[in-house]
Amino acid sequence: MRNVYVLGVGMIKFGRYPDRDVAQLAGEAALLALKDAGMTIADMQFFASGNLLQANAMVGQRILQQIGRPASR
């Protein structure tokens, strides 16, 4: 097992955003978390995402594309 650390957090204002999808909202929060941690996308070694309402929509990959990192290398 490896130790896992949460180095930064990000949260957007709670509300309705009819003009934005889940990946856009989560991407904004992810970028805020990276900024809070003092890190960049290149520093990430692992990204996890969960969304019960869109379980089969590849939300994690869409978020990675939103924040500027390809889903696979």
Side-chain angles (χ1 to χ4, degrees):
M1 277 192 130
R2 293 185 176 185
N3 293 330
V4 176
Y5 303 94
V6 175
L7 301 176
V9 296
M11 188 169 111
I12 61 172
K13 184 177 178 182
F14 183 80
R16 293 184 185 267
Y17 297 90
D19 58 327
R20 299 172 72 192
D21 65 17
V22 170
Q24 291 170 324
L25 296 169
E28 182 179 344
L31 290 173
L32 289 170
L34 284 169
K35 183 178 179 181
D36 184 51
M39 301 175 75
T40 68
I41 295 167
D43 296 318
M44 280 196 307
Q45 294 179 354
F46 180 79
F47 180 85
S49 171
N51 185 314
L52 183 62
L53 298 176
Q54 295 185 7
N56 295 325
M58 299 183 354
V59 174
Q61 288 83 1
R62 291 173 35 217
I63 296 167
L64 286 172
Q65 289 174 337
Q66 187 69 36
I67 64 176
R69 183 172 185 136
S72 61
R73 291 183 178 186

